[in-house]
Amino acid sequence: MSGQTPSQTVGPFFGFALLREGHEVLVSDATAGERIVIEGRVFDGDGAPLNDALIEIWQANAAGRYDHPDDRQEKPLDAAFHGFGRCPTDDSGRFHFRTIRPGPVPGPGNTLQAPHINVTVLARGMLKQLVTRIYFEGEPSNADDPILGLVGEPERRKTLIAKRGNGKNGTYTFDIRLQGPGETVFFDV
Amino acid sequence: MSDPIPYRREEKGAQPPSLYPPYVSTLKRAPRQPLILMPQTLSEVTGPVYGHDKVVPDDSDLTRQHKGEPQGERIVVSGRVLDESGRPVPRTLVEIWQTNAAGRYIHHGDQHSAPLDPNFSGAGRTLTDADGRYKFVTVKPGAYPWRNHPNAWRPAHIHFSLFGPSFLTRLVTQMYFQGDPLIPLDPVYNGIPDKKAAARMVSRFDLEATVPEWALGYCFDIVLRGREATPMEH
């Protein structure tokens, strides 16, 4: 047995190494599924935006299949969709992704999970990453989602649900509050 | 579909808390609510297979990315990426970034007065081979001041970012250098509760990996979260 290597902060100066243009766009013309835009901001405990965070997302394709060898479901893969995205926050703490709405994937036991996107948050001042999830406002299956169901207080559950954008078709807003009022739910995985 | 074989949980003491007051920036960035423990689902045991098409051999030699050679002490950093059972993690992306020999990042936000080096960017990437091995050629990074507390200096370090086989194996860490007197003073390093676990981040000078007349060798193995053993495993 070997012990885990500890996590350390990504620090403020990762941009020249970890970022490549276009990583916030997960779709091409050939990708199957409903186009969506996820946009949001990241805030600290004072409500100040983080201009040096890195948001990574991982999601299933429109059919609800992950592009990964451990996903052995009999659902189609999409050669034009791999499901990973990465976006740094800008000076106003803003990030955005252009992707597709994922299909549902299996949950524990014989449950089905509501469509969701897995999120990793990295930043200066964070010795290890935080993990959260994006669900979608108006999705009926949210009510039976086994992971959302773990969050007791309805007010806290709301922090995991991206809101439909005002007047903009297919746009969802998902803000991340690291601390304080409206603090986002983070998971121990 | 049966539930996936889970990954081992975070090793207590080896991973830092979100809140570590000596590292002042954690005060406003650490959640105050407890994390919600959740089962690992297909969403967590899968993860991005990322960037393979974009890695070229020169990406792992940081001394050959410009016209001339960078200033500083040339080093070879090599090691293996393993899981907790000691099995190699093959074909996984390893990304690194660091200061130049003077302790300055090329990043526009770095205001340290040390000079930039026109022959050094400080970013590299590579894939591990079938045995989980990786190797970078670079120069030894410098220490630099930061504003965490009076006269605060970060020990020389190289940032590492790895994906491993799943969403759960994602690891961002820093590699330090054996014998650096700044290590025990560093709140980032000291954020790891278990001192023996923290020492895993300190690379070892390795005469075997040292290339005669050319570069010192440092060895740094990285251990990612592994899967729980299954009774049926052969």
Side-chain angles (χ1 to χ4, degrees):
Chain A
M1 283 289 298
S2 320
Q4 293 170 10
T5 302
S7 170
Q8 296 273 269
T9 178
V10 75
F13 300 137
F14 55 80
F16 66 98
L18 291 182
L19 303 176
R20 296 289 186 280
E21 220 171 300
H23 275 170
E24 75 283 3
V25 180
L26 286 76
V27 290
S28 67
D29 288 347
T31 305
E34 178 194 339
R35 280 3 185 218
I36 60 170
V37 173
I38 308 273
E39 52 184 34
R41 299 176 72 190
V42 187
F43 300 98
D44 70 11
D46 288 332
L50 269 69
N51 65 1
D52 53 12
L54 181 67
I55 310 299
E56 292 180 348
I57 62 171
W58 169 240
Q59 66 167 92
N61 67 20
R65 176 146 181 207
Y66 287 101
D67 182 13
H68 187 277
D70 281 17
D71 188 340
R72 300 187 189 92
Q73 299 179 89
E74 289 175 21
K75 293 174 179 174
L77 283 169
D78 182 346
F81 189 76
H82 303 296
F84 176 72
R86 189 183 243 181
C87 186
T89 55
D90 66 15
D91 286 343
S92 57
R94 215 173 282 281
F95 65 91
H96 73 280
F97 292 100
R98 287 174 52 207
T99 182
I100 46 108
R101 189 183 173 98
V105 299
N110 289 316
T111 60
L112 199 61
Q113 303 189 65
H116 65 273
I117 295 176
N118 309 288
V119 180
T120 300
V121 184
L122 297 147
R124 172 180 69 82
M126 294 171 62
L127 284 164
K128 61 182 173 188
Q129 67 245 37
L130 290 171
V131 167
T132 186
R133 284 181 165 203
I134 299 171
Y135 288 85
F136 299 94
E137 185 181 23
E139 169 60 46
S141 60
N142 286 345
D144 301 317
D145 183 79
I147 304 303
L148 275 177
L150 296 172
V151 185
E153 309 89 324
E155 280 306 306
R156 296 218 69 208
R157 210 176 301 149
K158 277 187 197 163
T159 68
L160 298 172
I161 298 173
K163 295 188 183 67
R164 286 199 197 92
N166 292 335
K168 280 188 281 183
N169 242 356
T171 296
Y172 287 87
T173 302
F174 186 78
D175 289 337
I176 297 172
R177 295 175 199 281
L178 297 178
Q179 188 188 89
E183 184 177 305
T184 300
V185 167
F186 298 104
F187 291 103
D188 178 353
V189 289
Chain B
M1 203 172 122
S2 60
D3 287 345
I5 301 165
Y7 279 79
R8 291 197 180 94
R9 293 278 166 173
E10 194 174 272
E11 181 189 334
K12 293 255 180 300
Q15 300 302 343
S18 287
L19 179 65
Y20 182 65
Y23 178 17
V24 175
S25 299
T26 66
L27 290 172
K28 295 293 181 187
R29 295 184 168 197
R32 291 297 161 93
Q33 302 282 342
L35 303 187
I36 292 185
L37 185 69
M38 62 169 273
Q40 296 170 9
T41 74
L42 192 60
S43 300
E44 286 74 36
V45 302
T46 56
V49 178
Y50 170 62
H52 291 191
D53 50 337
K54 300 203 174 91
V55 176
V56 297
D58 268 4
D59 287 347
S60 63
D61 187 341
L62 286 69
T63 68
R64 288 170 51 171
Q65 296 174 345
H66 296 272
K67 272 187 186 159
E69 279 218 70
Q71 298 285 334
E73 187 181 332
R74 200 186 290 123
I75 60 173
V76 178
V77 177
S78 62
R80 296 179 77 194
V81 181
L82 306 164
D83 70 16
E84 290 171 88
S85 303
R87 282 184 289 245
V89 180
R91 304 287 298 164
T92 198
L93 182 70
V94 183
E95 294 169 286
I96 66 167
W97 66 105
Q98 62 169 91
T99 70
N100 65 24
R104 174 90 183 259
Y105 288 100
I106 198 171
H107 192 282
H108 59 84
D110 186 354
Q111 299 299 312
H112 182 28
S113 63
L116 285 168
D117 183 338
N119 290 314
F120 193 72
S121 301
R125 47 171 47 197
T126 192
L127 288 177
T128 58
D129 70 10
D131 294 321
R133 284 181 205 287
Y134 73 89
K135 184 167 96 172
F136 290 101
V137 178
T138 183
V139 296
K140 192 170 180 183
Y144 59 85
W146 62 313
R147 291 177 181 164
N148 187 72
H149 57 272
N151 210 8
W153 291 78
R154 291 298 326 278
H157 61 273
I158 298 178
H159 295 267
F160 274 71
S161 168
L162 297 98
F163 286 87
S166 78
F167 183 74
L168 299 165
T169 49
R170 182 88 179 88
L171 176 71
V172 174
T173 188
Q174 300 181 24
M175 182 200 101
Y176 300 91
F177 292 87
Q178 194 180 359
D180 189 331
L182 293 170
I183 290 175
L185 306 176
D186 181 43
V188 177
Y189 179 91
N190 287 332
I192 309 306
D194 177 344
K195 293 304 144 201
K196 276 188 186 161
R200 296 171 194 154
M201 300 185 293
V202 182
S203 61
R204 180 171 53 81
F205 169 69
D206 185 356
L207 194 60
E208 292 286 305
T210 293
V211 185
E213 320 256 336
W214 194 67
L216 295 182
Y218 287 87
C219 186
F220 181 54
D221 289 341
I222 298 161
V223 178
L224 305 179
R225 287 170 69 176
R227 273 196 142 130
E228 301 282 4
T230 59
M232 296 303 290
E233 201 167 26
H234 298 293

